[in-house]
Structure formats: C-alpha cells, structure tokens
Amino acid sequence: MSPPYDRVRNYADGEWVEPTGDHAEPVTNPATGAELSTIRFASPADVDATVEAAHAAFREWRSTPVEERIQPLFRLKSLLEEHHDELARTLVREHGKTLAEAKGELRRGIENVEVACGIPSMMQGGSLQHAAPDIDERAVRQPLGVFTAITPFNFPGMIPLWFLPYAVATGNAFVLKPSERDPLTSQYLFELIDEAGFPPGVVSLVNGGRATVEALIDHEQVAGVSFVGSTPVARAVYERAAGAGKRVQAQGGAKNHVIVAESADIEFAAEQAVSSALACSGERCLANDVILVHEAVYDDFREAALERVESQTLGDGLDEATTVGPLITPDHEARVRDMVETGIEEGADLVHDGRDWAPDGEKLEAGNFLGPCLFEGVTSEMTLAQEEIFGPVVCLAAVPDFDTALARLNASRFGNAASLFTESGREARRFTEEAEAGNLAINAGTAAPMAFFHFGGRKASFFGDLHAQGQDMIQFYTDETIVIERWDY
Ligand code: NAD
C-alpha cells in the first residue's frame, strides 16, 4: 500500500497488521480540512503481541554481527533518499508545513541514519591490561532489549529517526508510537523499513494515544522509553517509566528567547530571528519567539522584523509560494488565537495582526490558518513570555542591557534553546556559560544540533540525563558490562 493511505496500520513481527482497538478517528489535511485517512488505535492485545515479537527478535539480533546490523540502515538511507520527494509530500499533506520545510526535516532524519551506521566505532568499550596484579579489565557495551519511542506531531519524519537507527544498530529491538495526528509519514517510513531488510520484529510500529503509550511503558519486556512532546506529558511519562525501573529520556516543551545585542548586525539578526519564530508556523520546540533587543537598536530591529513578518505568504504547504502553512488542528488554531487575545488583554501591543490575514486580502476558506502576528512591549510577566505558543507569533521587547536580557531568558521555567546576536566575544562567552538552555546558538536563529551531537534540553524542557541523537543514544541504548580476567594463577 502506498500513499494515499485509506487507513493506518500497525507493523509487527515484520508484517502489516490491522489494529483492533475500539477507538478510531480521522486524519485530516490541516490546509484543506479534507479527510485523508482513518487511524484506529492499537488495543492492549496489539501492544502485547508487538512487544512480545520484538523481544523474541531481540534475542537473535543482539548477537548478529554489528556489520550485518548496519546493512539495513545503509539500505534505509538510500530508500529515504529515493523516496524523499513523495515522503515530503505525504508529510505536508497531513502536517501542513511547507514542502521545503518537510524536505529539510527529512534530511535531518536521514543524517541520524548516517550517524548510526558508524556504530561499529561508536559502540566500542574500553580495555586495560594489568588493571590490577595479573588482571586485565574490559568494559563491554551490550544492548538491553526492547525500546520504545513516543513522538510528537511536529516533526513526524525526523523525530522517530532520532531514536530508531541507534536503537537497532546497537542490537536492541525498537517499537515506534508516532503522533495520532499525523501518522501517515510513519506508514510510509515503515514501508521503506519493510523493504530495507530488517529481520522480523526488530523494528515495529503501533499507533494510538495515551492508553497505547501507557501499555508500552508498563509492558515488562520494554526496557526503556524515549519520549518527545509537551512538558506535562513528558513529566508523566518520565515518572511512570522511572517508577517502573526503566530507562527513560523525556523531552518536553519550550519557550525560547533571542538576545539581540547593541553590536549585532540588525538586518541579519531580524532575518534569522523572525524565520526562527515562524518556520513550521511556529510549531517547533526550537522556535525562538521572544526577542529581547537592546534599546539602542530597537527601532531599527523592529522595522526590519516587521518587514519580514509582513512579507510572509500564508497557504497550503504544497503551494511553492507558501512560507507559512496552517496549524495542525482546529483546536490548536483556537488555542493560539486565544494566546493572541490574552496578549492583547495583558497589554502587549499587536503591531501586526495576522488573525484575518491572507495574501489576497481574503480569508482562506478552509484549513487551520492563522497569519503571522507581531507583538511588542512583551514583559516577562505576560503569558506570551511564559507559555509555549506553538504558533506564528513573534514577541518583541526592548531591554536596557545584556544582563537584563540574560536574566529574562534565565527566568523561564523552560530551557530548550536560546540565541544571541552579537559582535562581542565577551558577551558570547558569557552567554555560553550562563544561559540556562540546552541548545545555544550564537549568530544563528535556530540552535538545531547536527545528528552527531546530542539534542540538548534542560529544566522543564527535559527529564532524564541522556539526550536524543549522537553518542548519548549509544549510552542510552546499551549498558557497560565490566569484565575482569585473570589467566596467570
Ligand atoms: P503531546 O505531548 O500532545 O503528544 C506527544 C506524544 O504523546 C504523542 O505521541 C501522543 O499520542 C502522546 N500522548 C499525548 N497525551 C498523552 C498522555 N496523557 N499520556 C501518554 N501519552 C500521551 O505533544 P504534541 O502536541 O504532539 O507535540 C508538541 C509538543 O512537543 C510541544 O510542546 C513541543 O515543544 C514538544 N516538542 C519538544 C521537542 C524537544 O526536543 N524538546 C521536540 C519536538 C516537540
């Protein structure tokens, strides 16, 4: 079955299977409201059968030579590249972001497959002869069993690949539970996985919602859980999994700030900061939506930012002219519109009102559209400065100096990302040391780590210690067994 998919299926023990849960709901195109498919959730029995098959597969996969384990990943990389355009179109139809954004997202996903192909070097342990009298000692990295990842709606093509390639390359079995709001991208991804030649049960897919997630976490054969999504759910997943004695890493929501220093290149900073706030309609955990600008350059920055907000084109992500697509659901659109109302009520100044905005002056007929909004005078007490908006809303504030800006940034309960635009090495150095966020960018709008580095996150943006991507994943997916050996006795 290739796209369009009339229904969403699970993939277990190397086969496509029909879910048997009671609950079903439509999958819709956020740009048109058109129904694309139906997703039926997995039943507890579906989850159990999937995990049991994964655990059976793990027993052989863990001792399969590492060179053999990475061959399906090389094939998966080629398949992802061969199907890049159609995969991106599938993603746009169910998510709404622009085609360029979807292609960029998939590229970042493929990067993780590439990095995981280096597992023969990355997974090595250490050894030392004569660690003690007549004793040699080794640390051996070993896989742990079945891992699951629960992923959010906003990067359906990339985020599953923050986990899947590393889990299986290290010798574990892996079960993905993608967002129920845009499950079609992973239908496509699993067709490619099916073709890539993993042994049955090594990689599986279950669809569903909260009950599915809880059944996965609680399953005694699940050794560890990765989660990416909103902070309240991240916290709940972390507590449930940790309470059951499992490995867990849970990435949560965000509220990211940008500091624009007096010395910054204003045009460049405005371009980078506005595009960081508006990319993927602001539905990014790396969106920088609070921009703190030194008062000496505030007017120039405001003008440059306004020009960029005004020049966006709202529309269907499949239309090449579109720069800002729709929001994921009507409910989410209503939530972001409420945030805009709250901003006005709390006294922020709405300089550019995107609420009735459309390129031709007419409101778009269908779809969950909200045009880009620009606020100024956003103070640290306002909801706009404290809560994640997850929509195309840019918030400006003038600040008297670098210290005030840094203090405002650090007052946030979140700690996902932050950016600084400056020509001062001293400010850059202080920012690196003092900014309380896990992903920092200097003279760049979005602090997106490459796959060979981990994806940071602190405070209410992350629960756990080992992060997604890179070397952290190798540690998360393995345990180091210590072996001491004596042959002269
Ligand atoms: P969400 O928390 O609603 O859902 C995420 C996943 O959890 C989905 O698979 C969903 O089915 C499942 N889920 C939902 N409610 C649950 C519950 N009560 N118990 C167990 N599982 C549940 O998040 P979302 O709306 O899909 O994604 C947006 C959020 O994700 C934003 O807050 C964003 O900042 C965050 N995010 C964070 C990162 C990061 O790296 N820190 C990356 C991307 C997105």
Side-chain angles (χ1 to χ4, degrees), residues 4-47:
Y5 301 98
D6 64 348
R7 66 194 192 284
V8 172
R9 295 175 299 166
N10 295 337
Y11 183 82
D13 204 12
E15 304 282 345
W16 287 102
V17 289
E18 301 294 336
T20 63
D22 296 334
H23 178 79
E25 59 188 48
V27 181
T28 52
N29 181 334
T32 62
E35 205 167 305
L36 298 172
S37 188
T38 302
I39 177 170
R40 177 168 295 284
F41 288 8
S43 65
D46 297 337
V47 172

mmCIF file of all heavy atoms in Angstrom, residues 4-47:
data_model
loop_
_atom_site.group_PDB
_atom_site.id
_atom_site.type_symbol
_atom_site.label_atom_id
_atom_site.label_comp_id
_atom_site.label_asym_id
_atom_site.label_seq_id
_atom_site.Cartn_x
_atom_site.Cartn_y
_atom_site.Cartn_z
ATOM 1 N N PRO A 4 -1.995 7.651 -1.372
ATOM 2 C CA PRO A 4 -2.663 7.927 -0.105
ATOM 3 C C PRO A 4 -3.080 6.646 0.627
ATOM 4 O O PRO A 4 -3.447 5.676 -0.011
ATOM 5 C CB PRO A 4 -3.905 8.704 -0.550
ATOM 6 C CG PRO A 4 -4.180 8.227 -1.934
ATOM 7 C CD PRO A 4 -2.861 7.887 -2.541
ATOM 8 N N TYR A 5 -3.009 6.691 1.943
ATOM 9 C CA TYR A 5 -3.371 5.528 2.749
ATOM 10 C C TYR A 5 -4.814 5.692 3.221
ATOM 11 O O TYR A 5 -5.116 6.666 3.899
ATOM 12 C CB TYR A 5 -2.462 5.445 3.971
ATOM 13 C CG TYR A 5 -0.996 5.334 3.619
ATOM 14 C CD1 TYR A 5 -0.177 6.453 3.617
ATOM 15 C CD2 TYR A 5 -0.442 4.104 3.279
ATOM 16 C CE1 TYR A 5 1.169 6.353 3.286
ATOM 17 C CE2 TYR A 5 0.901 3.990 2.945
ATOM 18 C CZ TYR A 5 1.708 5.120 2.953
ATOM 19 O OH TYR A 5 3.020 5.013 2.617
ATOM 20 N N ASP A 6 -5.683 4.741 2.891
ATOM 21 C CA ASP A 6 -7.080 4.913 3.317
ATOM 22 C C ASP A 6 -7.249 4.613 4.809
ATOM 23 O O ASP A 6 -8.200 5.063 5.428
ATOM 24 C CB ASP A 6 -8.030 4.055 2.458
ATOM 25 C CG ASP A 6 -7.767 2.577 2.618
ATOM 26 O OD1 ASP A 6 -6.712 2.224 3.201
ATOM 27 O OD2 ASP A 6 -8.612 1.767 2.186
ATOM 28 N N ARG A 7 -6.276 3.848 5.374
ATOM 29 C CA ARG A 7 -6.337 3.570 6.806
ATOM 30 C C ARG A 7 -4.912 3.377 7.322
ATOM 31 O O ARG A 7 -3.999 3.096 6.538
ATOM 32 C CB ARG A 7 -7.196 2.336 7.090
ATOM 33 C CG ARG A 7 -6.598 1.061 6.552
ATOM 34 C CD ARG A 7 -7.590 -0.075 6.530
ATOM 35 N NE ARG A 7 -6.927 -1.337 6.269
ATOM 36 C CZ ARG A 7 -6.491 -1.721 5.075
ATOM 37 N NH1 ARG A 7 -6.619 -0.918 4.024
ATOM 38 N NH2 ARG A 7 -5.903 -2.901 4.924
ATOM 39 N N VAL A 8 -4.773 3.524 8.624
ATOM 40 C CA VAL A 8 -3.456 3.433 9.254
ATOM 41 C C VAL A 8 -3.311 2.049 9.872
ATOM 42 O O VAL A 8 -4.205 1.590 10.580
ATOM 43 C CB VAL A 8 -3.329 4.536 10.335
ATOM 44 C CG1 VAL A 8 -2.057 4.372 11.147
ATOM 45 C CG2 VAL A 8 -3.382 5.915 9.682
ATOM 46 N N ARG A 9 -2.195 1.392 9.579
ATOM 47 C CA ARG A 9 -1.995 0.041 10.113
ATOM 48 C C ARG A 9 -0.779 -0.001 11.036
ATOM 49 O O ARG A 9 0.047 0.902 11.018
ATOM 50 C CB ARG A 9 -1.793 -0.944 8.953
ATOM 51 C CG ARG A 9 -3.024 -1.083 8.065
ATOM 52 C CD ARG A 9 -2.764 -1.965 6.857
ATOM 53 N NE ARG A 9 -1.715 -1.422 6.011
ATOM 54 C CZ ARG A 9 -1.105 -2.103 5.043
ATOM 55 N NH1 ARG A 9 -1.450 -3.344 4.792
ATOM 56 N NH2 ARG A 9 -0.169 -1.541 4.319
ATOM 57 N N ASN A 10 -0.696 -1.053 11.793
ATOM 58 C CA ASN A 10 0.485 -1.281 12.626
ATOM 59 C C ASN A 10 1.441 -2.212 11.885
ATOM 60 O O ASN A 10 1.045 -2.871 10.908
ATOM 61 C CB ASN A 10 0.087 -1.901 13.973
ATOM 62 C CG ASN A 10 -0.759 -0.946 14.802
ATOM 63 O OD1 ASN A 10 -0.713 0.271 14.611
ATOM 64 N ND2 ASN A 10 -1.543 -1.491 15.722
ATOM 65 N N TYR A 11 2.677 -2.264 12.351
ATOM 66 C CA TYR A 11 3.670 -3.141 11.727
ATOM 67 C C TYR A 11 4.334 -3.918 12.852
ATOM 68 O O TYR A 11 4.980 -3.322 13.726
ATOM 69 C CB TYR A 11 4.679 -2.275 10.971
ATOM 70 C CG TYR A 11 5.730 -3.042 10.205
ATOM 71 C CD1 TYR A 11 5.459 -3.559 8.937
ATOM 72 C CD2 TYR A 11 7.003 -3.226 10.743
ATOM 73 C CE1 TYR A 11 6.439 -4.246 8.224
ATOM 74 C CE2 TYR A 11 7.979 -3.904 10.040
ATOM 75 C CZ TYR A 11 7.699 -4.415 8.788
ATOM 76 O OH TYR A 11 8.668 -5.085 8.076
ATOM 77 N N ALA A 12 4.096 -5.241 12.875
ATOM 78 C CA ALA A 12 4.609 -6.062 13.981
ATOM 79 C C ALA A 12 5.151 -7.372 13.426
ATOM 80 O O ALA A 12 4.578 -7.927 12.480
ATOM 81 C CB ALA A 12 3.487 -6.346 14.990
ATOM 82 N N ASP A 13 6.245 -7.840 14.008
ATOM 83 C CA ASP A 13 6.867 -9.101 13.599
ATOM 84 C C ASP A 13 7.111 -9.142 12.077
ATOM 85 O O ASP A 13 6.924 -10.176 11.430
ATOM 86 C CB ASP A 13 5.972 -10.278 14.044
ATOM 87 C CG ASP A 13 6.783 -11.557 14.194
ATOM 88 O OD1 ASP A 13 8.034 -11.485 14.188
ATOM 89 O OD2 ASP A 13 6.160 -12.625 14.292
ATOM 90 N N GLY A 14 7.442 -7.982 11.518
ATOM 91 C CA GLY A 14 7.765 -7.918 10.093
ATOM 92 C C GLY A 14 6.574 -7.934 9.157
ATOM 93 O O GLY A 14 6.722 -8.114 7.949
ATOM 94 N N GLU A 15 5.360 -7.744 9.696
ATOM 95 C CA GLU A 15 4.147 -7.769 8.859
ATOM 96 C C GLU A 15 3.269 -6.556 9.157
ATOM 97 O O GLU A 15 3.222 -6.098 10.304
ATOM 98 C CB GLU A 15 3.263 -9.001 9.201
ATOM 99 C CG GLU A 15 3.915 -10.345 9.092
ATOM 100 C CD GLU A 15 4.012 -10.817 7.653
ATOM 101 O OE1 GLU A 15 3.321 -10.214 6.792
ATOM 102 O OE2 GLU A 15 4.793 -11.761 7.401
ATOM 103 N N TRP A 16 2.519 -6.106 8.157
ATOM 104 C CA TRP A 16 1.497 -5.077 8.390
ATOM 105 C C TRP A 16 0.297 -5.746 9.054
ATOM 106 O O TRP A 16 -0.135 -6.811 8.596
ATOM 107 C CB TRP A 16 1.058 -4.438 7.068
ATOM 108 C CG TRP A 16 2.116 -3.522 6.520
ATOM 109 C CD1 TRP A 16 2.974 -3.789 5.509
ATOM 110 C CD2 TRP A 16 2.425 -2.202 6.981
ATOM 111 N NE1 TRP A 16 3.816 -2.719 5.311
ATOM 112 C CE2 TRP A 16 3.495 -1.721 6.200
ATOM 113 C CE3 TRP A 16 1.915 -1.367 7.973
ATOM 114 C CZ2 TRP A 16 4.060 -0.463 6.369
ATOM 115 C CZ3 TRP A 16 2.470 -0.119 8.160
ATOM 116 C CH2 TRP A 16 3.537 0.330 7.368
ATOM 117 N N VAL A 17 -0.196 -5.158 10.126
ATOM 118 C CA VAL A 17 -1.353 -5.754 10.812
ATOM 119 C C VAL A 17 -2.420 -4.694 11.078
ATOM 120 O O VAL A 17 -2.107 -3.519 11.274
ATOM 121 C CB VAL A 17 -0.964 -6.436 12.157
ATOM 122 C CG1 VAL A 17 -0.192 -7.708 11.918
ATOM 123 C CG2 VAL A 17 -0.157 -5.500 13.045
ATOM 124 N N GLU A 18 -3.661 -5.130 11.092
ATOM 125 C CA GLU A 18 -4.777 -4.212 11.348
ATOM 126 C C GLU A 18 -4.912 -4.015 12.862
ATOM 127 O O GLU A 18 -4.929 -4.990 13.610
ATOM 128 C CB GLU A 18 -6.100 -4.777 10.814
ATOM 129 C CG GLU A 18 -6.120 -5.063 9.323
ATOM 130 C CD GLU A 18 -6.006 -3.803 8.465
ATOM 131 O OE1 GLU A 18 -6.351 -2.700 8.951
ATOM 132 O OE2 GLU A 18 -5.559 -3.918 7.308
ATOM 133 N N PRO A 19 -5.009 -2.771 13.311
ATOM 134 C CA PRO A 19 -5.214 -2.543 14.750
ATOM 135 C C PRO A 19 -6.607 -2.991 15.172
ATOM 136 O O PRO A 19 -7.542 -2.941 14.369
ATOM 137 C CB PRO A 19 -5.064 -1.028 14.889
ATOM 138 C CG PRO A 19 -5.258 -0.474 13.523
ATOM 139 C CD PRO A 19 -4.938 -1.542 12.528
ATOM 140 N N THR A 20 -6.768 -3.393 16.436
ATOM 141 C CA THR A 20 -8.067 -3.921 16.861
ATOM 142 C C THR A 20 -8.678 -3.139 18.036
ATOM 143 O O THR A 20 -9.588 -3.619 18.693
ATOM 144 C CB THR A 20 -7.939 -5.411 17.263
ATOM 145 O OG1 THR A 20 -7.053 -5.485 18.391
ATOM 146 C CG2 THR A 20 -7.396 -6.274 16.142
ATOM 147 N N GLY A 21 -8.141 -1.944 18.313
ATOM 148 C CA GLY A 21 -8.699 -1.144 19.410
ATOM 149 C C GLY A 21 -10.096 -0.620 19.092
ATOM 150 O O GLY A 21 -10.551 -0.667 17.947
ATOM 151 N N ASP A 22 -10.767 -0.079 20.129
ATOM 152 C CA ASP A 22 -12.146 0.410 19.960
ATOM 153 C C ASP A 22 -12.193 1.787 19.317
ATOM 154 O O ASP A 22 -13.160 2.147 18.663
ATOM 155 C CB ASP A 22 -12.828 0.539 21.337
ATOM 156 C CG ASP A 22 -12.963 -0.800 21.998
ATOM 157 O OD1 ASP A 22 -13.018 -1.805 21.240
ATOM 158 O OD2 ASP A 22 -12.986 -0.853 23.253
ATOM 159 N N HIS A 23 -11.176 2.582 19.550
ATOM 160 C CA HIS A 23 -11.242 3.984 19.144
ATOM 161 C C HIS A 23 -10.656 4.198 17.740
ATOM 162 O O HIS A 23 -9.596 3.681 17.410
ATOM 163 C CB HIS A 23 -10.457 4.847 20.142
ATOM 164 C CG HIS A 23 -10.427 6.286 19.777
ATOM 165 N ND1 HIS A 23 -11.486 7.137 20.010
ATOM 166 C CD2 HIS A 23 -9.475 7.035 19.153
ATOM 167 C CE1 HIS A 23 -11.177 8.351 19.562
ATOM 168 N NE2 HIS A 23 -9.958 8.322 19.033
ATOM 169 N N ALA A 24 -11.385 4.980 16.925
ATOM 170 C CA ALA A 24 -10.857 5.362 15.606
ATOM 171 C C ALA A 24 -11.165 6.834 15.381
ATOM 172 O O ALA A 24 -12.158 7.365 15.887
ATOM 173 C CB ALA A 24 -11.486 4.509 14.518
ATOM 174 N N GLU A 25 -10.310 7.517 14.633
ATOM 175 C CA GLU A 25 -10.575 8.923 14.315
ATOM 176 C C GLU A 25 -9.988 9.273 12.950
ATOM 177 O O GLU A 25 -9.109 8.559 12.442
ATOM 178 C CB GLU A 25 -10.020 9.847 15.426
ATOM 179 C CG GLU A 25 -8.533 9.730 15.670
ATOM 180 C CD GLU A 25 -8.080 10.521 16.914
ATOM 181 O OE1 GLU A 25 -8.705 10.410 17.991
ATOM 182 O OE2 GLU A 25 -7.074 11.239 16.786
ATOM 183 N N PRO A 26 -10.471 10.363 12.349
ATOM 184 C CA PRO A 26 -9.943 10.708 11.028
ATOM 185 C C PRO A 26 -8.583 11.390 11.113
ATOM 186 O O PRO A 26 -8.246 12.015 12.118
ATOM 187 C CB PRO A 26 -10.993 11.696 10.488
ATOM 188 C CG PRO A 26 -11.658 12.262 11.687
ATOM 189 C CD PRO A 26 -11.562 11.234 12.779
ATOM 190 N N VAL A 27 -7.819 11.262 10.039
ATOM 191 C CA VAL A 27 -6.581 12.039 9.867
ATOM 192 C C VAL A 27 -6.915 13.065 8.785
ATOM 193 O O VAL A 27 -7.381 12.696 7.707
ATOM 194 C CB VAL A 27 -5.420 11.142 9.375
ATOM 195 C CG1 VAL A 27 -4.145 11.956 9.215
ATOM 196 C CG2 VAL A 27 -5.203 9.968 10.319
ATOM 197 N N THR A 28 -6.702 14.349 9.097
ATOM 198 C CA THR A 28 -7.138 15.361 8.130
ATOM 199 C C THR A 28 -5.973 16.211 7.633
ATOM 200 O O THR A 28 -4.943 16.329 8.288
ATOM 201 C CB THR A 28 -8.194 16.303 8.753
ATOM 202 O OG1 THR A 28 -7.668 16.799 9.968
ATOM 203 C CG2 THR A 28 -9.491 15.608 9.031
ATOM 204 N N ASN A 29 -6.187 16.811 6.476
ATOM 205 C CA ASN A 29 -5.218 17.751 5.911
ATOM 206 C C ASN A 29 -5.479 19.118 6.543
ATOM 207 O O ASN A 29 -6.550 19.699 6.358
ATOM 208 C CB ASN A 29 -5.414 17.807 4.390
ATOM 209 C CG ASN A 29 -4.424 18.750 3.730
ATOM 210 O OD1 ASN A 29 -3.932 19.699 4.350
ATOM 211 N ND2 ASN A 29 -4.127 18.489 2.474
ATOM 212 N N PRO A 30 -4.512 19.660 7.310
ATOM 213 C CA PRO A 30 -4.774 20.911 8.024
ATOM 214 C C PRO A 30 -4.925 22.125 7.109
ATOM 215 O O PRO A 30 -5.443 23.156 7.532
ATOM 216 C CB PRO A 30 -3.549 21.080 8.944
ATOM 217 C CG PRO A 30 -2.512 20.179 8.422
ATOM 218 C CD PRO A 30 -3.171 19.115 7.610
ATOM 219 N N ALA A 31 -4.496 21.987 5.855
ATOM 220 C CA ALA A 31 -4.632 23.122 4.928
ATOM 221 C C ALA A 31 -6.000 23.168 4.270
ATOM 222 O O ALA A 31 -6.458 24.226 3.829
ATOM 223 C CB ALA A 31 -3.547 23.049 3.851
ATOM 224 N N THR A 32 -6.682 22.022 4.198
ATOM 225 C CA THR A 32 -7.950 21.982 3.465
ATOM 226 C C THR A 32 -9.099 21.430 4.307
ATOM 227 O O THR A 32 -10.263 21.579 3.931
ATOM 228 C CB THR A 32 -7.811 21.056 2.231
ATOM 229 O OG1 THR A 32 -7.507 19.729 2.717
ATOM 230 C CG2 THR A 32 -6.703 21.524 1.295
ATOM 231 N N GLY A 33 -8.770 20.760 5.397
ATOM 232 C CA GLY A 33 -9.805 20.109 6.198
ATOM 233 C C GLY A 33 -10.223 18.770 5.606
ATOM 234 O O GLY A 33 -11.060 18.057 6.174
ATOM 235 N N ALA A 34 -9.661 18.397 4.451
ATOM 236 C CA ALA A 34 -10.058 17.140 3.795
ATOM 237 C C ALA A 34 -9.605 15.943 4.631
ATOM 238 O O ALA A 34 -8.518 15.954 5.208
ATOM 239 C CB ALA A 34 -9.432 17.048 2.415
ATOM 240 N N GLU A 35 -10.483 14.913 4.650
ATOM 241 C CA GLU A 35 -10.131 13.707 5.394
ATOM 242 C C GLU A 35 -9.183 12.858 4.554
ATOM 243 O O GLU A 35 -9.481 12.534 3.406
ATOM 244 C CB GLU A 35 -11.427 12.942 5.698
ATOM 245 C CG GLU A 35 -11.297 12.069 6.896
ATOM 246 C CD GLU A 35 -12.656 11.568 7.380
ATOM 247 O OE1 GLU A 35 -13.550 12.398 7.646
ATOM 248 O OE2 GLU A 35 -12.804 10.335 7.476
ATOM 249 N N LEU A 36 -8.028 12.532 5.120
ATOM 250 C CA LEU A 36 -7.014 11.793 4.355
ATOM 251 C C LEU A 36 -7.064 10.302 4.644
ATOM 252 O O LEU A 36 -6.760 9.478 3.790
ATOM 253 C CB LEU A 36 -5.609 12.281 4.746
ATOM 254 C CG LEU A 36 -5.262 13.739 4.479
ATOM 255 C CD1 LEU A 36 -3.923 14.087 5.115
ATOM 256 C CD2 LEU A 36 -5.219 14.002 2.983
ATOM 257 N N SER A 37 -7.424 9.957 5.872
ATOM 258 C CA SER A 37 -7.321 8.562 6.281
ATOM 259 C C SER A 37 -8.064 8.367 7.600
ATOM 260 O O SER A 37 -8.613 9.334 8.159
ATOM 261 C CB SER A 37 -5.839 8.214 6.468
ATOM 262 O OG SER A 37 -5.666 6.848 6.687
ATOM 263 N N THR A 38 -8.051 7.123 8.084
ATOM 264 C CA THR A 38 -8.614 6.831 9.407
ATOM 265 C C THR A 38 -7.555 6.112 10.226
ATOM 266 O O THR A 38 -6.906 5.196 9.723
ATOM 267 C CB THR A 38 -9.838 5.887 9.275
ATOM 268 O OG1 THR A 38 -10.776 6.527 8.427
ATOM 269 C CG2 THR A 38 -10.480 5.612 10.620
ATOM 270 N N ILE A 39 -7.414 6.546 11.464
ATOM 271 C CA ILE A 39 -6.483 5.856 12.367
ATOM 272 C C ILE A 39 -7.282 5.141 13.450
ATOM 273 O O ILE A 39 -8.081 5.765 14.166
ATOM 274 C CB ILE A 39 -5.439 6.825 12.979
ATOM 275 C CG1 ILE A 39 -4.529 6.093 13.976
ATOM 276 C CG2 ILE A 39 -6.052 8.063 13.616
ATOM 277 C CD1 ILE A 39 -3.331 6.904 14.433
ATOM 278 N N ARG A 40 -7.111 3.827 13.512
ATOM 279 C CA ARG A 40 -7.692 3.047 14.617
ATOM 280 C C ARG A 40 -6.559 2.766 15.588
ATOM 281 O O ARG A 40 -5.455 2.412 15.189
ATOM 282 C CB ARG A 40 -8.306 1.744 14.086
ATOM 283 C CG ARG A 40 -8.864 0.834 15.172
ATOM 284 C CD ARG A 40 -9.707 -0.300 14.596
ATOM 285 N NE ARG A 40 -10.911 0.195 13.930
ATOM 286 C CZ ARG A 40 -12.011 0.640 14.558
ATOM 287 N NH1 ARG A 40 -12.063 0.625 15.881
ATOM 288 N NH2 ARG A 40 -13.036 1.081 13.866
ATOM 289 N N PHE A 41 -6.823 2.957 16.885
ATOM 290 C CA PHE A 41 -5.774 2.789 17.880
ATOM 291 C C PHE A 41 -5.522 1.305 18.160
ATOM 292 O O PHE A 41 -6.425 0.481 18.017
ATOM 293 C CB PHE A 41 -6.153 3.498 19.195
ATOM 294 C CG PHE A 41 -6.098 5.008 19.127
ATOM 295 C CD1 PHE A 41 -5.898 5.676 17.920
ATOM 296 C CD2 PHE A 41 -6.233 5.772 20.282
ATOM 297 C CE1 PHE A 41 -5.834 7.071 17.860
ATOM 298 C CE2 PHE A 41 -6.171 7.172 20.242
ATOM 299 C CZ PHE A 41 -5.973 7.820 19.027
ATOM 300 N N ALA A 42 -4.312 1.026 18.596
ATOM 301 C CA ALA A 42 -3.958 -0.349 18.974
ATOM 302 C C ALA A 42 -4.704 -0.731 20.251
ATOM 303 O O ALA A 42 -4.916 0.112 21.128
ATOM 304 C CB ALA A 42 -2.455 -0.445 19.206
ATOM 305 N N SER A 43 -5.087 -1.988 20.358
ATOM 306 C CA SER A 43 -5.673 -2.498 21.602
ATOM 307 C C SER A 43 -4.527 -2.949 22.520
ATOM 308 O O SER A 43 -3.391 -3.133 22.042
ATOM 309 C CB SER A 43 -6.576 -3.696 21.303
ATOM 310 O OG SER A 43 -5.769 -4.744 20.806
ATOM 311 N N PRO A 44 -4.789 -3.173 23.809
ATOM 312 C CA PRO A 44 -3.735 -3.702 24.682
ATOM 313 C C PRO A 44 -3.156 -5.011 24.127
ATOM 314 O O PRO A 44 -1.951 -5.251 24.220
ATOM 315 C CB PRO A 44 -4.459 -3.928 26.013
ATOM 316 C CG PRO A 44 -5.611 -2.968 25.985
ATOM 317 C CD PRO A 44 -6.030 -2.860 24.541
ATOM 318 N N ALA A 45 -4.017 -5.840 23.528
ATOM 319 C CA ALA A 45 -3.515 -7.119 22.974
ATOM 320 C C ALA A 45 -2.569 -6.858 21.797
ATOM 321 O O ALA A 45 -1.578 -7.576 21.607
ATOM 322 C CB ALA A 45 -4.691 -7.989 22.530
ATOM 323 N N ASP A 46 -2.870 -5.818 20.993
ATOM 324 C CA ASP A 46 -1.974 -5.480 19.864
ATOM 325 C C ASP A 46 -0.592 -5.078 20.390
ATOM 326 O O ASP A 46 0.440 -5.475 19.848
ATOM 327 C CB ASP A 46 -2.522 -4.287 19.049
ATOM 328 C CG ASP A 46 -3.867 -4.575 18.397
ATOM 329 O OD1 ASP A 46 -4.171 -5.766 18.189
ATOM 330 O OD2 ASP A 46 -4.592 -3.599 18.092
ATOM 331 N N VAL A 47 -0.607 -4.243 21.448
ATOM 332 C CA VAL A 47 0.664 -3.783 22.024
ATOM 333 C C VAL A 47 1.449 -4.984 22.551
ATOM 334 O O VAL A 47 2.642 -5.142 22.284
ATOM 335 C CB VAL A 47 0.418 -2.754 23.155
ATOM 336 C CG1 VAL A 47 1.716 -2.421 23.885
ATOM 337 C CG2 VAL A 47 -0.223 -1.485 22.597
#
